[in-house]
Amino acid sequence: MDKDIKEILLSAEEITALTMDIADKINKDYEGKNLVLLGLLKGSVCFMAELMKYIKIPCQIDFMSVSSYGNGTESSGRVNILKDMSISPMGKDILIVEDIIDSGNTLSFITQYLKSKRCDSVEIVTLLNKPDRRQTEVEVKYSCKKIDDLFVVGFGLDYAEYYRNLPYIGVLKESVYKKTSE
Ligand code: IMP
Ligand code: MG
């Protein structure tokens, strides 16, 4: 697995430090609110698990699963809900926890969807952000790290469902996806 990685972008220690900084801000901003951390499956699992450890205010957690990516490295642009929230969003302050924002299509769809459910607020926290790739504008309240237009894996992020279990974020060698998509 490590042999498919061109470069390590964030080590496990760097991810923890970035997450702790963002959690501090969330702890202050959401004091006295009805915080729900809403992870998007599956990519956000590691970031969600890391982030929630450092949230010191009362909160609930939930997950949604949507599909917008096939097995390639490009967004399909279509978003389907595969699993909805189990907590009622009404009256809650929902903080969507995302692994990476690329085209913005997925989050734009989910934020609109949640706003229609009469929650009190909907904001986004993401581990990684690729602003140069945006097709749809989304307002990102908390972003741990901006990255260039690179395809990255690890710490929950996949290529064809593999590499999610790497404990760091790495840039995938192009030869891996060029080989399988031919
Ligand atoms: P968007 O709708 O294009 O913003 O798609 C965001 C989703 O695409 C993320 O939640 C990831 O699942 C996936 N994605 C985008 N860029 C990458 C990447 O570099 N590596 C792995 N998954 C990615
Ligand atoms: Mg994903």
Side-chain angles (χ1 to χ4, degrees):
M1 243 186 354
D2 295 313
K3 69 173 179 10
D4 295 337
I5 303 302
K6 189 156 78 179
E7 176 198 348
I8 295 183
L9 209 65
L10 286 177
S11 67
E13 294 73 21
E14 287 168 328
I15 294 170
T16 301
L18 290 170
T19 306
M20 288 174 84
D21 281 351
I22 289 282
D24 278 349
K25 296 195 179 90
I26 296 170
N27 285 326
K28 289 190 190 93
D29 294 349
Y30 282 83
E31 181 92 65
K33 298 198 171 184
N34 297 311
L35 175 61
V36 178
L37 297 175
L38 176 61
L40 300 188
L41 296 173
K42 303 170 198 170
S44 72
V45 283
C46 297
F47 182 45
M48 172 71 127
E50 189 70 10
L51 180 66
M52 60 192 274
K53 289 194 285 188
Y54 305 110
I55 298 295
K56 303 296 179 201
I57 54 175
C59 76
Q60 295 172 302
I61 72 158
D62 206 345
F63 291 95
M64 271 182 84
S65 177
V66 299
S67 66
S68 62
Y69 259 67
N71 279 347
T73 57
E74 294 289 323
S75 169
S76 69
R78 293 185 309 274
V79 181
N80 301 309
I81 297 178
L82 305 176
K83 182 216 169 294
D84 207 339
M85 289 180 70
S86 57
I87 295 172
S88 167
M90 202 192 291
K92 302 288 185 184
D93 294 290
I94 297 176
L95 185 55
I96 302 171
V97 181
E98 181 61 310
D99 52 354
I100 187 164
I101 310 176
D102 188 48
S103 70
N105 293 335
T106 312
L107 279 174
S108 150
F109 171 86
I110 295 180
T111 8
Q112 292 310 313
Y113 173 76
L114 292 172
K115 282 180 179 163
S116 75
K117 301 279 173 187
R118 295 164 60 202
C119 47
D120 272 13
S121 64
V122 185
E123 301 288 356
I124 296 165
V125 55
T126 188
L127 177 59
L128 301 171
N129 193 1
K130 293 185 195 169
D132 298 343
R133 297 257 310 166
R134 225 45 119 246
Q135 292 171 8
T136 313
E137 268 324 300
V138 279
E139 217 176 293
V140 185
K141 184 151 187 181
Y142 310 99
S143 166
C144 293
K145 193 174 169 66
K146 275 188 201 160
I147 63 166
D148 295 333
D149 181 7
L150 300 163
F151 197 80
V152 292
V153 292
F155 203 71
L157 288 104
D158 74 307
Y159 170 66
E161 295 297 332
Y162 286 96
Y163 308 101
R164 293 193 197 273
N165 52 321
L166 287 174
Y168 56 82
I169 304 270
V171 180
L172 192 62
K173 283 184 184 162
E174 277 176 28
S175 56
V176 176
Y177 47 88
K178 294 237 162 104
K179 186 174 61 195
T180 51
S181 61
E182 267 164 17

